[in-house]
Amino acid sequence: KWVILQQRGNKSLPLQQNGYDCGVFCCMCMYQWYRDMPLLLTQEHVNDFRKHMAISIINGRINEQMP
């Protein structure tokens, strides 16, 4: 069962700054969460992570290191 958590005054959560990078931004957050890393992401990280995802898909596995 899914549990919905509400953001309560935590301004440190990363937020997407446009209307078209939502999928990549969501994947970035999940990658950081999966790696037990802090969510210190900004819109500037999107293009590098998009390349990281493409390389992971081409190689058939998740690359552990970000570009």
Side-chain angles (χ1 to χ4, degrees):
K1 182 175 180 178
W2 289 91
V3 177
I4 297 174
L5 303 175
Q6 293 181 358
Q7 180 180 351
R8 295 186 182 200
N10 186 347
K11 302 295 183 195
S12 65
L13 291 176
L15 296 174
Q16 166 190 341
Q17 299 297 312
N18 60 38
Y20 50 85
D21 285 327
C22 51
V24 177
F25 207 83
C26 182
C27 288
M28 284 190 330
C29 290
M30 290 295 98
Y31 180 82
Q32 296 294 92
W33 177 75
Y34 165 75
R35 303 277 299 151
D36 199 26
M37 299 168 72
L39 294 177
L40 302 175
L41 304 167
T42 65
Q43 191 68 40
E44 288 78 36
H45 296 106
V46 170
N47 286 335
D48 286 338
F49 195 78
R50 185 179 280 116
K51 292 173 191 172
H52 171 80
M53 287 191 338
I55 291 168
S56 295
I57 291 168
I58 290 168
N59 291 336
R61 62 181 172 79
I62 296 175
N63 292 321
E64 295 300 320
Q65 296 296 320
M66 286 285 292

